[in-house]
Amino acid sequence: MTLLANASPARYELGELDKESRMGGLGEETHAREVRTIDLSDFERRKAEIADELWEAAVDIGFFQVSGHGIALADIAAAFERAEQLFALPEEVKAQWPLARNAGWEHKAQIRPSTKTPDQKESYQVTRPRMAGLWPSDAELPGFRAATLAFERQCWEVGMRVLSCFAYKLGFDDGFFTRAHDPEAASYQSTLRMLHYFAVDPALKDELGLWRAGAHTDFDCLTLLFQRAGQGGLQVLPGKEMESRQWTPVEPVEGVITCNIGDMLTRWSDDRLPSNFHRVRNPLPHEYQGARYSLAFFCQANEDAVIAGPRGKYPPITGAEYLRQRISANFSNRY
């Protein structure tokens, strides 16, 4: 298919962004890749086996799904319900919590280097130390803050379990990534993100330049993504195969968490664990045209964590500087 025309590409400080800026085309869809599902149950007894399975899936395409993770279906459903309630608030109410440094609400503010057009969505991001003045009141959304923080903690626990397997495979100690993502530290910057992709406007359904989320790799070490059944559109493409432009759909499965390696962990692993391009395409004419909701938890190393791989392939960089460069390329004046 014909690639979308792009403006003259900006030059970015990180190589990840230069790759991303070349990923704006439509490409083709393929079902040839397998997105594996890995069972995390009985984790302590089976950890070595689970670590091997996670490593193989991550090295292969950088994307996998996990079951047996311990977050109850009822808790996931309640988190989606809170997201819907928040996004249903009037825009002037949500505007009280403007996005800054990965915390707060934004509306069509994210412009991917791959597409140069705003993602067709709004989001609300929770980064614990940065939430002063950004929480809905109990009058607006009763119990929202406490319940959201409890769900964020559940996500963090799953993320640290998975990352401990990668620490083991990379030769770090079991607690290496847990210390680097310490939620009690003021430098903590892992983020829970609620996402609302807009229902398709019939007047714009043939507009090829619009994406619910343009092609990108994630900034973080590991992403946990919760999808709702019947609300598809997520597609993945391994970074090592980026020139093929062949995208594999990842269908929502109830109770299963879709995971992907982010650029932080790619760098930390000296490129042994590849991050994966992914995007959310607009629905096709025969597909569900309504709103799409998802929940993402980004395991992002603390600001003062030093990202340095065991083989020293890249110069050390702090978590703060790494995210500053990545977010500045996606959001204007938001970091």
Side-chain angles (χ1 to χ4, degrees), residues 255-301:
V256 168
I257 304 174
T258 299
C259 303
N260 64 276
I261 303 301
D263 294 328
M264 266 188 181
L265 190 54
T266 297
R267 189 182 183 101
W268 229 322
S269 69
D270 299 308
D271 288 340
R272 296 167 71 190
L273 294 169
S275 56
N276 177 303
F277 284 103
H278 51 287
R279 65 190 188 183
V280 182
R281 64 161 172 77
N282 283 352
L284 300 175
H286 65 279
E287 295 174 331
Y288 166 72
Q289 302 287 300
R292 179 183 188 271
Y293 294 88
S294 66
L295 305 167
F297 182 72
F298 301 101
C299 300
Q300 296 173 157

mmCIF file of all heavy atoms in Angstrom, residues 255-301:
data_model
loop_
_atom_site.group_PDB
_atom_site.id
_atom_site.type_symbol
_atom_site.label_atom_id
_atom_site.label_comp_id
_atom_site.label_asym_id
_atom_site.label_seq_id
_atom_site.Cartn_x
_atom_site.Cartn_y
_atom_site.Cartn_z
ATOM 1 N N GLY A 255 -9.615 -11.123 30.761
ATOM 2 C CA GLY A 255 -8.798 -11.594 31.864
ATOM 3 C C GLY A 255 -7.341 -11.819 31.545
ATOM 4 O O GLY A 255 -6.548 -12.133 32.440
ATOM 5 N N VAL A 256 -6.956 -11.674 30.287
ATOM 6 C CA VAL A 256 -5.558 -11.853 29.883
ATOM 7 C C VAL A 256 -4.914 -10.480 29.718
ATOM 8 O O VAL A 256 -5.537 -9.559 29.192
ATOM 9 C CB VAL A 256 -5.473 -12.657 28.565
ATOM 10 C CG1 VAL A 256 -4.072 -12.592 27.975
ATOM 11 C CG2 VAL A 256 -5.876 -14.106 28.805
ATOM 12 N N ILE A 257 -3.690 -10.330 30.179
ATOM 13 C CA ILE A 257 -2.966 -9.069 30.042
ATOM 14 C C ILE A 257 -2.006 -9.183 28.868
ATOM 15 O O ILE A 257 -1.194 -10.117 28.802
ATOM 16 C CB ILE A 257 -2.172 -8.725 31.314
ATOM 17 C CG1 ILE A 257 -3.086 -8.691 32.546
ATOM 18 C CG2 ILE A 257 -1.461 -7.379 31.152
ATOM 19 C CD1 ILE A 257 -2.344 -8.493 33.860
ATOM 20 N N THR A 258 -2.099 -8.249 27.942
ATOM 21 C CA THR A 258 -1.166 -8.182 26.820
ATOM 22 C C THR A 258 0.049 -7.373 27.261
ATOM 23 O O THR A 258 -0.099 -6.284 27.818
ATOM 24 C CB THR A 258 -1.833 -7.532 25.603
ATOM 25 O OG1 THR A 258 -2.957 -8.339 25.208
ATOM 26 C CG2 THR A 258 -0.868 -7.427 24.440
ATOM 27 N N CYS A 259 1.236 -7.897 27.031
ATOM 28 C CA CYS A 259 2.473 -7.258 27.492
ATOM 29 C C CYS A 259 3.409 -7.005 26.321
ATOM 30 O O CYS A 259 3.422 -7.767 25.355
ATOM 31 C CB CYS A 259 3.204 -8.143 28.497
ATOM 32 S SG CYS A 259 2.235 -8.601 29.954
ATOM 33 N N ASN A 260 4.192 -5.952 26.427
ATOM 34 C CA ASN A 260 5.253 -5.740 25.445
ATOM 35 C C ASN A 260 6.473 -5.108 26.091
ATOM 36 O O ASN A 260 6.382 -4.392 27.090
ATOM 37 C CB ASN A 260 4.774 -4.896 24.254
ATOM 38 C CG ASN A 260 4.371 -3.494 24.625
ATOM 39 O OD1 ASN A 260 3.250 -3.260 25.042
ATOM 40 N ND2 ASN A 260 5.277 -2.542 24.463
ATOM 41 N N ILE A 261 7.607 -5.433 25.499
ATOM 42 C CA ILE A 261 8.884 -4.860 25.921
ATOM 43 C C ILE A 261 8.946 -3.419 25.423
ATOM 44 O O ILE A 261 8.571 -3.123 24.295
ATOM 45 C CB ILE A 261 10.058 -5.662 25.337
ATOM 46 C CG1 ILE A 261 9.973 -7.137 25.741
ATOM 47 C CG2 ILE A 261 11.398 -5.055 25.760
ATOM 48 C CD1 ILE A 261 9.980 -7.390 27.220
ATOM 49 N N GLY A 262 9.430 -2.520 26.276
ATOM 50 C CA GLY A 262 9.614 -1.131 25.887
ATOM 51 C C GLY A 262 11.087 -0.796 25.669
ATOM 52 O O GLY A 262 11.990 -1.592 25.956
ATOM 53 N N ASP A 263 11.320 0.414 25.167
ATOM 54 C CA ASP A 263 12.666 0.820 24.774
ATOM 55 C C ASP A 263 13.651 0.880 25.940
ATOM 56 O O ASP A 263 14.849 0.656 25.765
ATOM 57 C CB ASP A 263 12.618 2.179 24.083
ATOM 58 C CG ASP A 263 11.887 2.134 22.755
ATOM 59 O OD1 ASP A 263 11.953 1.080 22.088
ATOM 60 O OD2 ASP A 263 11.251 3.130 22.384
ATOM 61 N N MET A 264 13.153 1.205 27.148
ATOM 62 C CA MET A 264 14.046 1.219 28.306
ATOM 63 C C MET A 264 14.686 -0.145 28.523
ATOM 64 O O MET A 264 15.892 -0.253 28.766
ATOM 65 C CB MET A 264 13.266 1.598 29.569
ATOM 66 C CG MET A 264 13.278 3.050 29.940
ATOM 67 S SD MET A 264 12.508 3.242 31.561
ATOM 68 C CE MET A 264 12.624 5.030 31.725
ATOM 69 N N LEU A 265 13.863 -1.212 28.451
ATOM 70 C CA LEU A 265 14.389 -2.554 28.688
ATOM 71 C C LEU A 265 15.242 -3.017 27.511
ATOM 72 O O LEU A 265 16.209 -3.762 27.699
ATOM 73 C CB LEU A 265 13.249 -3.537 28.957
ATOM 74 C CG LEU A 265 13.670 -4.927 29.449
ATOM 75 C CD1 LEU A 265 14.557 -4.836 30.690
ATOM 76 C CD2 LEU A 265 12.447 -5.795 29.728
ATOM 77 N N THR A 266 14.898 -2.599 26.306
ATOM 78 C CA THR A 266 15.759 -2.906 25.164
ATOM 79 C C THR A 266 17.156 -2.351 25.406
ATOM 80 O O THR A 266 18.167 -3.031 25.221
ATOM 81 C CB THR A 266 15.161 -2.318 23.865
ATOM 82 O OG1 THR A 266 13.909 -2.938 23.606
ATOM 83 C CG2 THR A 266 16.085 -2.545 22.682
ATOM 84 N N ARG A 267 17.227 -1.110 25.837
ATOM 85 C CA ARG A 267 18.524 -0.481 26.115
ATOM 86 C C ARG A 267 19.216 -1.166 27.286
ATOM 87 O O ARG A 267 20.423 -1.423 27.249
ATOM 88 C CB ARG A 267 18.295 1.003 26.405
ATOM 89 C CG ARG A 267 19.569 1.834 26.507
ATOM 90 C CD ARG A 267 19.222 3.271 26.844
ATOM 91 N NE ARG A 267 20.376 4.124 26.897
ATOM 92 C CZ ARG A 267 20.762 4.965 25.934
ATOM 93 N NH1 ARG A 267 20.068 5.034 24.810
ATOM 94 N NH2 ARG A 267 21.829 5.714 26.080
ATOM 95 N N TRP A 268 18.446 -1.490 28.339
ATOM 96 C CA TRP A 268 19.008 -2.100 29.537
ATOM 97 C C TRP A 268 19.548 -3.502 29.251
ATOM 98 O O TRP A 268 20.423 -4.005 29.947
ATOM 99 C CB TRP A 268 17.931 -2.178 30.632
ATOM 100 C CG TRP A 268 18.371 -1.665 31.963
ATOM 101 C CD1 TRP A 268 19.597 -1.815 32.538
ATOM 102 C CD2 TRP A 268 17.578 -0.936 32.902
ATOM 103 N NE1 TRP A 268 19.626 -1.221 33.790
ATOM 104 C CE2 TRP A 268 18.396 -0.671 34.029
ATOM 105 C CE3 TRP A 268 16.262 -0.493 32.924
ATOM 106 C CZ2 TRP A 268 17.941 0.002 35.150
ATOM 107 C CZ3 TRP A 268 15.801 0.195 34.033
ATOM 108 C CH2 TRP A 268 16.637 0.446 35.133
ATOM 109 N N SER A 269 18.974 -4.150 28.230
ATOM 110 C CA SER A 269 19.400 -5.506 27.882
ATOM 111 C C SER A 269 20.445 -5.513 26.767
ATOM 112 O O SER A 269 20.762 -6.572 26.233
ATOM 113 C CB SER A 269 18.185 -6.334 27.443
ATOM 114 O OG SER A 269 17.680 -5.883 26.203
ATOM 115 N N ASP A 270 20.971 -4.347 26.413
ATOM 116 C CA ASP A 270 21.935 -4.242 25.307
ATOM 117 C C ASP A 270 21.350 -4.794 24.010
ATOM 118 O O ASP A 270 22.029 -5.475 23.233
ATOM 119 C CB ASP A 270 23.237 -4.978 25.654
ATOM 120 C CG ASP A 270 23.932 -4.403 26.875
ATOM 121 O OD1 ASP A 270 24.143 -3.179 26.909
ATOM 122 O OD2 ASP A 270 24.231 -5.169 27.811
ATOM 123 N N ASP A 271 20.054 -4.513 23.809
ATOM 124 C CA ASP A 271 19.315 -4.897 22.591
ATOM 125 C C ASP A 271 18.968 -6.382 22.514
ATOM 126 O O ASP A 271 18.463 -6.838 21.481
ATOM 127 C CB ASP A 271 20.063 -4.500 21.313
ATOM 128 C CG ASP A 271 20.052 -2.998 21.070
ATOM 129 O OD1 ASP A 271 19.179 -2.314 21.647
ATOM 130 O OD2 ASP A 271 20.902 -2.517 20.315
ATOM 131 N N ARG A 272 19.167 -7.129 23.569
ATOM 132 C CA ARG A 272 18.795 -8.555 23.530
ATOM 133 C C ARG A 272 17.286 -8.735 23.592
ATOM 134 O O ARG A 272 16.759 -9.706 23.048
ATOM 135 C CB ARG A 272 19.478 -9.298 24.688
ATOM 136 C CG ARG A 272 21.000 -9.301 24.565
ATOM 137 C CD ARG A 272 21.665 -9.760 25.842
ATOM 138 N NE ARG A 272 21.487 -11.185 26.074
ATOM 139 C CZ ARG A 272 21.799 -11.793 27.213
ATOM 140 N NH1 ARG A 272 22.292 -11.080 28.234
ATOM 141 N NH2 ARG A 272 21.617 -13.086 27.351
ATOM 142 N N LEU A 273 16.593 -7.823 24.254
ATOM 143 C CA LEU A 273 15.129 -7.862 24.337
ATOM 144 C C LEU A 273 14.575 -6.734 23.470
ATOM 145 O O LEU A 273 14.646 -5.564 23.849
ATOM 146 C CB LEU A 273 14.667 -7.699 25.785
ATOM 147 C CG LEU A 273 15.047 -8.838 26.735
ATOM 148 C CD1 LEU A 273 14.771 -8.448 28.179
ATOM 149 C CD2 LEU A 273 14.292 -10.115 26.368
ATOM 150 N N PRO A 274 14.031 -7.034 22.306
ATOM 151 C CA PRO A 274 13.608 -5.974 21.382
ATOM 152 C C PRO A 274 12.244 -5.392 21.735
ATOM 153 O O PRO A 274 11.317 -6.116 22.078
ATOM 154 C CB PRO A 274 13.543 -6.702 20.030
ATOM 155 C CG PRO A 274 13.207 -8.118 20.395
ATOM 156 C CD PRO A 274 13.886 -8.381 21.719
ATOM 157 N N SER A 275 12.142 -4.072 21.668
ATOM 158 C CA SER A 275 10.828 -3.440 21.775
ATOM 159 C C SER A 275 10.083 -3.666 20.466
ATOM 160 O O SER A 275 10.686 -3.949 19.434
ATOM 161 C CB SER A 275 10.967 -1.948 22.085
ATOM 162 O OG SER A 275 11.755 -1.306 21.111
ATOM 163 N N ASN A 276 8.783 -3.517 20.527
ATOM 164 C CA ASN A 276 7.921 -3.915 19.422
ATOM 165 C C ASN A 276 7.084 -2.740 18.972
ATOM 166 O O ASN A 276 6.481 -2.054 19.795
ATOM 167 C CB ASN A 276 7.031 -5.063 19.918
ATOM 168 C CG ASN A 276 6.013 -5.546 18.922
ATOM 169 O OD1 ASN A 276 5.195 -4.767 18.447
ATOM 170 N ND2 ASN A 276 6.015 -6.826 18.646
ATOM 171 N N PHE A 277 7.052 -2.481 17.659
ATOM 172 C CA PHE A 277 6.139 -1.459 17.147
ATOM 173 C C PHE A 277 4.705 -1.947 17.285
ATOM 174 O O PHE A 277 4.405 -3.121 17.037
ATOM 175 C CB PHE A 277 6.442 -1.170 15.671
ATOM 176 C CG PHE A 277 7.661 -0.323 15.468
ATOM 177 C CD1 PHE A 277 8.852 -0.892 15.060
ATOM 178 C CD2 PHE A 277 7.621 1.041 15.715
ATOM 179 C CE1 PHE A 277 9.985 -0.118 14.886
ATOM 180 C CE2 PHE A 277 8.747 1.824 15.554
ATOM 181 C CZ PHE A 277 9.931 1.246 15.136
ATOM 182 N N HIS A 278 3.831 -1.054 17.662
ATOM 183 C CA HIS A 278 2.414 -1.372 17.712
ATOM 184 C C HIS A 278 1.613 -0.102 17.462
ATOM 185 O O HIS A 278 2.137 1.009 17.518
ATOM 186 C CB HIS A 278 2.024 -2.027 19.039
ATOM 187 C CG HIS A 278 2.485 -1.294 20.270
ATOM 188 N ND1 HIS A 278 3.800 -1.262 20.678
ATOM 189 C CD2 HIS A 278 1.795 -0.567 21.184
ATOM 190 C CE1 HIS A 278 3.899 -0.560 21.796
ATOM 191 N NE2 HIS A 278 2.698 -0.118 22.116
ATOM 192 N N ARG A 279 0.351 -0.298 17.146
ATOM 193 C CA ARG A 279 -0.533 0.823 16.835
ATOM 194 C C ARG A 279 -1.970 0.371 17.058
ATOM 195 O O ARG A 279 -2.243 -0.827 17.207
ATOM 196 C CB ARG A 279 -0.338 1.257 15.374
ATOM 197 C CG ARG A 279 -0.765 0.200 14.349
ATOM 198 C CD ARG A 279 -0.344 0.572 12.942
ATOM 199 N NE ARG A 279 -0.901 -0.338 11.943
ATOM 200 C CZ ARG A 279 -0.638 -0.278 10.636
ATOM 201 N NH1 ARG A 279 0.192 0.652 10.163
ATOM 202 N NH2 ARG A 279 -1.192 -1.132 9.795
ATOM 203 N N VAL A 280 -2.864 1.330 17.093
ATOM 204 C CA VAL A 280 -4.298 1.018 17.140
ATOM 205 C C VAL A 280 -4.920 1.656 15.907
ATOM 206 O O VAL A 280 -4.996 2.879 15.797
ATOM 207 C CB VAL A 280 -4.963 1.545 18.425
ATOM 208 C CG1 VAL A 280 -6.447 1.155 18.443
ATOM 209 C CG2 VAL A 280 -4.257 1.007 19.667
ATOM 210 N N ARG A 281 -5.327 0.827 14.967
ATOM 211 C CA ARG A 281 -5.902 1.347 13.730
ATOM 212 C C ARG A 281 -7.371 1.680 13.930
ATOM 213 O O ARG A 281 -8.039 1.144 14.831
ATOM 214 C CB ARG A 281 -5.736 0.349 12.589
ATOM 215 C CG ARG A 281 -6.470 -0.961 12.768
ATOM 216 C CD ARG A 281 -6.615 -1.662 11.427
ATOM 217 N NE ARG A 281 -7.137 -3.011 11.543
ATOM 218 C CZ ARG A 281 -8.419 -3.300 11.753
ATOM 219 N NH1 ARG A 281 -9.306 -2.340 11.915
ATOM 220 N NH2 ARG A 281 -8.808 -4.563 11.834
ATOM 221 N N ASN A 282 -7.879 2.548 13.066
ATOM 222 C CA ASN A 282 -9.313 2.823 13.060
ATOM 223 C C ASN A 282 -10.060 1.578 12.587
ATOM 224 O O ASN A 282 -9.535 0.800 11.779
ATOM 225 C CB ASN A 282 -9.621 3.989 12.122
ATOM 226 C CG ASN A 282 -9.257 5.323 12.739
ATOM 227 O OD1 ASN A 282 -8.907 5.405 13.912
ATOM 228 N ND2 ASN A 282 -9.323 6.376 11.947
ATOM 229 N N PRO A 283 -11.284 1.347 13.067
ATOM 230 C CA PRO A 283 -12.016 0.154 12.648
ATOM 231 C C PRO A 283 -12.379 0.201 11.168
ATOM 232 O O PRO A 283 -12.612 1.271 10.599
ATOM 233 C CB PRO A 283 -13.272 0.183 13.526
ATOM 234 C CG PRO A 283 -13.404 1.580 13.994
ATOM 235 C CD PRO A 283 -12.026 2.138 14.066
ATOM 236 N N LEU A 284 -12.414 -0.970 10.571
ATOM 237 C CA LEU A 284 -12.850 -1.103 9.186
ATOM 238 C C LEU A 284 -14.371 -0.959 9.112
ATOM 239 O O LEU A 284 -15.069 -1.092 10.134
ATOM 240 C CB LEU A 284 -12.404 -2.457 8.633
ATOM 241 C CG LEU A 284 -10.881 -2.696 8.645
ATOM 242 C CD1 LEU A 284 -10.556 -4.118 8.195
ATOM 243 C CD2 LEU A 284 -10.179 -1.667 7.778
ATOM 244 N N PRO A 285 -14.926 -0.701 7.927
ATOM 245 C CA PRO A 285 -16.372 -0.434 7.814
ATOM 246 C C PRO A 285 -17.264 -1.528 8.405
ATOM 247 O O PRO A 285 -18.340 -1.226 8.931
ATOM 248 C CB PRO A 285 -16.581 -0.302 6.299
ATOM 249 C CG PRO A 285 -15.268 0.195 5.791
ATOM 250 C CD PRO A 285 -14.233 -0.489 6.636
ATOM 251 N N HIS A 286 -16.813 -2.789 8.357
ATOM 252 C CA HIS A 286 -17.652 -3.887 8.853
ATOM 253 C C HIS A 286 -17.432 -4.149 10.343
ATOM 254 O O HIS A 286 -18.071 -5.043 10.910
ATOM 255 C CB HIS A 286 -17.352 -5.167 8.060
ATOM 256 C CG HIS A 286 -15.953 -5.681 8.251
ATOM 257 N ND1 HIS A 286 -14.877 -5.154 7.563
ATOM 258 C CD2 HIS A 286 -15.453 -6.655 9.062
ATOM 259 C CE1 HIS A 286 -13.775 -5.791 7.932
ATOM 260 N NE2 HIS A 286 -14.092 -6.693 8.839
ATOM 261 N N GLU A 287 -16.559 -3.393 10.991
ATOM 262 C CA GLU A 287 -16.245 -3.618 12.394
ATOM 263 C C GLU A 287 -16.982 -2.638 13.301
ATOM 264 O O GLU A 287 -17.530 -1.629 12.861
ATOM 265 C CB GLU A 287 -14.724 -3.491 12.601
ATOM 266 C CG GLU A 287 -13.927 -4.562 11.876
ATOM 267 C CD GLU A 287 -12.428 -4.350 11.974
ATOM 268 O OE1 GLU A 287 -11.987 -3.186 12.094
ATOM 269 O OE2 GLU A 287 -11.696 -5.359 11.922
ATOM 270 N N TYR A 288 -16.959 -2.937 14.598
ATOM 271 C CA TYR A 288 -17.545 -2.070 15.631
ATOM 272 C C TYR A 288 -16.976 -0.657 15.506
ATOM 273 O O TYR A 288 -15.759 -0.464 15.490
ATOM 274 C CB TYR A 288 -17.214 -2.682 16.992
ATOM 275 C CG TYR A 288 -17.445 -1.786 18.184
ATOM 276 C CD1 TYR A 288 -18.729 -1.472 18.615
ATOM 277 C CD2 TYR A 288 -16.356 -1.277 18.912
ATOM 278 C CE1 TYR A 288 -18.931 -0.671 19.727
ATOM 279 C CE2 TYR A 288 -16.551 -0.483 20.026
ATOM 280 C CZ TYR A 288 -17.843 -0.180 20.422
ATOM 281 O OH TYR A 288 -18.039 0.621 21.521
ATOM 282 N N GLN A 289 -17.861 0.323 15.409
ATOM 283 C CA GLN A 289 -17.455 1.707 15.168
ATOM 284 C C GLN A 289 -17.482 2.579 16.425
ATOM 285 O O GLN A 289 -17.173 3.764 16.371
ATOM 286 C CB GLN A 289 -18.373 2.344 14.112
ATOM 287 C CG GLN A 289 -18.403 1.606 12.778
ATOM 288 C CD GLN A 289 -17.139 1.794 11.968
ATOM 289 O OE1 GLN A 289 -16.784 2.918 11.619
ATOM 290 N NE2 GLN A 289 -16.455 0.693 11.663
ATOM 291 N N GLY A 290 -17.869 1.976 17.539
ATOM 292 C CA GLY A 290 -18.034 2.761 18.757
ATOM 293 C C GLY A 290 -16.734 3.042 19.485
ATOM 294 O O GLY A 290 -15.635 2.765 18.991
ATOM 295 N N ALA A 291 -16.857 3.601 20.676
ATOM 296 C CA ALA A 291 -15.689 3.964 21.472
ATOM 297 C C ALA A 291 -14.901 2.718 21.884
ATOM 298 O O ALA A 291 -15.452 1.624 22.033
ATOM 299 C CB ALA A 291 -16.129 4.731 22.707
ATOM 300 N N ARG A 292 -13.613 2.894 22.042
ATOM 301 C CA ARG A 292 -12.731 1.821 22.506
ATOM 302 C C ARG A 292 -12.034 2.296 23.783
ATOM 303 O O ARG A 292 -11.502 3.410 23.828
ATOM 304 C CB ARG A 292 -11.684 1.478 21.440
ATOM 305 C CG ARG A 292 -10.697 0.377 21.835
ATOM 306 C CD ARG A 292 -9.667 0.169 20.722
ATOM 307 N NE ARG A 292 -8.816 -0.991 20.947
ATOM 308 C CZ ARG A 292 -7.670 -0.975 21.628
ATOM 309 N NH1 ARG A 292 -7.223 0.175 22.152
ATOM 310 N NH2 ARG A 292 -6.958 -2.072 21.792
ATOM 311 N N TYR A 293 -12.044 1.448 24.800
ATOM 312 C CA TYR A 293 -11.381 1.767 26.058
ATOM 313 C C TYR A 293 -10.269 0.740 26.310
ATOM 314 O O TYR A 293 -10.418 -0.446 26.016
ATOM 315 C CB TYR A 293 -12.366 1.726 27.227
ATOM 316 C CG TYR A 293 -13.432 2.795 27.163
ATOM 317 C CD1 TYR A 293 -14.621 2.572 26.477
ATOM 318 C CD2 TYR A 293 -13.242 4.038 27.766
ATOM 319 C CE1 TYR A 293 -15.596 3.559 26.397
ATOM 320 C CE2 TYR A 293 -14.207 5.027 27.691
ATOM 321 C CZ TYR A 293 -15.379 4.786 27.006
ATOM 322 O OH TYR A 293 -16.343 5.758 26.921
ATOM 323 N N SER A 294 -9.173 1.196 26.852
ATOM 324 C CA SER A 294 -8.127 0.281 27.307
ATOM 325 C C SER A 294 -7.448 0.882 28.532
ATOM 326 O O SER A 294 -7.589 2.086 28.823
ATOM 327 C CB SER A 294 -7.115 -0.017 26.207
ATOM 328 O OG SER A 294 -6.387 1.136 25.853
ATOM 329 N N LEU A 295 -6.730 0.028 29.250
ATOM 330 C CA LEU A 295 -5.975 0.436 30.442
ATOM 331 C C LEU A 295 -4.544 -0.040 30.248
ATOM 332 O O LEU A 295 -4.322 -1.219 29.939
ATOM 333 C CB LEU A 295 -6.561 -0.201 31.707
ATOM 334 C CG LEU A 295 -8.050 0.023 31.972
ATOM 335 C CD1 LEU A 295 -8.541 -0.920 33.067
ATOM 336 C CD2 LEU A 295 -8.308 1.474 32.364
ATOM 337 N N ALA A 296 -3.602 0.839 30.431
ATOM 338 C CA ALA A 296 -2.195 0.465 30.255
ATOM 339 C C ALA A 296 -1.411 0.847 31.504
ATOM 340 O O ALA A 296 -1.606 1.927 32.069
ATOM 341 C CB ALA A 296 -1.600 1.165 29.033
ATOM 342 N N PHE A 297 -0.536 -0.045 31.929
ATOM 343 C CA PHE A 297 0.387 0.270 33.010
ATOM 344 C C PHE A 297 1.798 0.198 32.458
ATOM 345 O O PHE A 297 2.212 -0.816 31.894
ATOM 346 C CB PHE A 297 0.242 -0.699 34.182
ATOM 347 C CG PHE A 297 1.154 -0.363 35.335
ATOM 348 C CD1 PHE A 297 0.906 0.738 36.141
ATOM 349 C CD2 PHE A 297 2.287 -1.124 35.602
ATOM 350 C CE1 PHE A 297 1.766 1.075 37.185
ATOM 351 C CE2 PHE A 297 3.143 -0.803 36.642
ATOM 352 C CZ PHE A 297 2.875 0.304 37.438
ATOM 353 N N PHE A 298 2.532 1.302 32.615
ATOM 354 C CA PHE A 298 3.877 1.415 32.081
ATOM 355 C C PHE A 298 4.889 1.322 33.224
ATOM 356 O O PHE A 298 4.940 2.213 34.085
ATOM 357 C CB PHE A 298 4.052 2.743 31.345
ATOM 358 C CG PHE A 298 3.097 2.941 30.196
ATOM 359 C CD1 PHE A 298 1.978 3.747 30.341
ATOM 360 C CD2 PHE A 298 3.308 2.306 28.988
ATOM 361 C CE1 PHE A 298 1.087 3.930 29.287
ATOM 362 C CE2 PHE A 298 2.441 2.481 27.924
ATOM 363 C CZ PHE A 298 1.324 3.288 28.075
ATOM 364 N N CYS A 299 5.680 0.256 33.232
ATOM 365 C CA CYS A 299 6.751 0.113 34.213
ATOM 366 C C CYS A 299 7.923 0.962 33.729
ATOM 367 O O CYS A 299 8.701 0.545 32.866
ATOM 368 C CB CYS A 299 7.173 -1.348 34.326
ATOM 369 S SG CYS A 299 5.863 -2.480 34.840
ATOM 370 N N GLN A 300 8.030 2.157 34.274
ATOM 371 C CA GLN A 300 9.049 3.130 33.863
ATOM 372 C C GLN A 300 10.013 3.343 35.019
ATOM 373 O O GLN A 300 9.598 3.735 36.116
ATOM 374 C CB GLN A 300 8.374 4.446 33.456
ATOM 375 C CG GLN A 300 7.499 4.247 32.227
ATOM 376 C CD GLN A 300 6.655 5.444 31.830
ATOM 377 O OE1 GLN A 300 6.275 5.535 30.681
ATOM 378 N NE2 GLN A 300 6.341 6.346 32.742
ATOM 379 N N ALA A 301 11.273 3.107 34.802
ATOM 380 C CA ALA A 301 12.260 3.186 35.873
ATOM 381 C C ALA A 301 12.243 4.554 36.539
ATOM 382 O O ALA A 301 12.002 5.578 35.889
ATOM 383 C CB ALA A 301 13.648 2.881 35.327
#
